[in-house]
Amino acid sequence: MSIEKAKEPKVDSTLSKGLSILENLAMSRSAKGVTELSKELDLTKSNTFRLLQTLTTLGYVRRREDKLYAATLKTWQIGRASVENFNLREIAAPELSFLSKETGEAIYLAVRENLNVIYIDKIDSQKPIRSWNTIGGSAPIHCVGTGKAMLAAEFPLLQEKIRTSLTSYTPKTITDMASLEEDIQRTQERGFAYDCGEFRDRILSFGAAITLPGGEVVGALGISLPDINLPEGGVEHFGGLVVHAARSVSAKLDRI
């Protein structure tokens, strides 16, 4: 009796080549030309140009004035929609529980909407003196931990937009670009954002971004507490916890 091997599905050559170009541009930190792409992907220049024209027409790629090509936000939007369909709240639930058990403080899962954060899940504080917010509540991106974490991860994209939106809420709110850029650099270096009472007086918060494998930001985890609850060494401790939790969620997204 002969055993028939399962036939491998056929791969459409044109679609495969087009997707390889899109993936290359989406993962690149800089725009690329036809020659560079054709060499990297082992395609002919004519084929590369033709596929770029199609991707440009469909809105996935844009041709710059210098004749270089770059991926548009449409790729990111589809990736974000895919993550939302996987239910980010369900995926991040164990990490929210972990942070709640470790700190006893208010824990949040947030996503960005323009220059604000929207809280899509939370676990309330167990402390008698506590911070609070509601699911569906929002806050400005530049002055809360979750928002500052996402802002730091997407700063090149949001830098010009945020420049005219640095509204003051407390005496500690960052309201000028030079100070914001310094704060962003500190966030990027240590891996977590720290709000020292910049949105609500004497309410502190920590945040770390949740990212897709390509680095695209899909949300952030945060810890919020009154300053009176912060223990000695708490900034580093809480910051380390939220970074660990956010990386854990990001690792799960990498496996989906």
Side-chain angles (χ1 to χ4, degrees):
M1 181 177 65
S2 62
I3 299 176
E4 185 178 351
K5 293 183 179 180
K7 294 182 179 179
E8 293 185 1
K10 292 183 179 180
V11 177
D12 184 90
S13 176
T14 301
L15 177 59
S16 175
K17 291 174 183 177
L19 288 174
S20 69
I21 291 175
L22 183 57
E23 289 174 358
N24 185 295
L25 291 175
M27 297 292 287
S28 175
R29 292 185 176 273
S30 59
K32 296 184 178 181
V34 174
T35 300
E36 184 178 4
L37 283 167
S38 64
K39 288 181 178 179
E40 290 181 357
L41 300 172
D42 195 24
L43 301 172
T44 65
K45 287 186 181 180
S46 60
N47 201 4
T48 302
F49 179 76
R50 186 166 57 251
L51 291 167
L52 282 168
Q53 293 298 103
T54 299
L55 290 168
T56 301
T57 300
L58 294 175
Y60 290 98
V61 169
R62 65 182 178 89
R63 185 176 185 267
R64 307 191 324 183
E65 291 182 0
D66 57 7
K67 299 182 180 180
L68 299 180
Y69 292 85
T72 68
L73 286 179
K74 188 172 183 179
T75 306
W76 173 83
Q77 290 166 345
I78 291 176
R80 177 166 180 169
S82 298
V83 171
E84 290 173 349
N85 288 338
F86 281 119
N87 195 338
L88 187 58
R89 291 178 61 182
E90 181 179 336
I91 293 170
E95 282 71 22
L96 265 73
S97 296
F98 163 77
L99 290 174
S100 177
K101 290 176 182 177
E102 289 292 320
T103 68
E105 302 292 351
I107 309 301
Y108 295 100
L109 174 63
V111 296
R112 182 174 70 84
E113 186 173 277
N114 298 318
L115 296 180
N116 292 295
V117 299
I118 306 295
Y119 300 110
I120 63 172
D121 204 359
K122 70 166 186 171
I123 298 179
D124 288 328
S125 171
Q126 304 162 27
K127 304 290 182 68
I129 302 176
R130 65 186 68 182
S131 167
W132 64 272
N133 213 320
T134 59
I135 294 178
S138 66
I141 195 173
H142 70 286
C143 54
V144 293
T146 51
K148 291 170 72 175
M150 289 188 279
L151 178 60
E154 299 184 292
F155 197 57
L157 174 67
L158 300 173
Q159 186 173 6
E160 291 307 312
K161 295 179 182 179
I162 198 69
R163 188 179 297 275
T164 57
S165 300
L166 299 177
T167 303
S168 177
Y169 294 90
T170 77
K172 294 185 177 181
T173 306
I174 297 174
T175 56
D176 66 275
M177 281 300 294
S179 298
L180 180 64
E181 288 169 357
E182 291 178 5
D183 188 75
I184 290 294
Q185 184 175 353
R186 287 194 294 270
T187 297
Q188 293 170 340
E189 290 173 351
R190 65 193 173 199
F192 67 88
Y194 176 48
D195 149 33
C196 61
E198 298 157 40
F199 181 50
R200 289 185 289 167
D201 192 41
R202 301 192 65 183
I203 299 296
L204 316 177
S205 65
F206 302 81
I210 299 169
T211 59
L212 294 176
E216 302 91 340
V217 177
V218 295
L221 288 174
I223 305 169
S224 180
L225 65 154
D227 60 3
I228 195 173
N229 289 2
L230 187 70
E232 185 175 353
V235 173
E236 292 75 15
H237 178 61
F238 285 0
L241 287 173
V242 77
V243 167
H244 172 75
R247 287 177 178 171
S248 176
V249 178
S250 298
K252 291 182 188 178
L253 296 176
D254 195 10
R255 297 191 293 269
I256 291 177

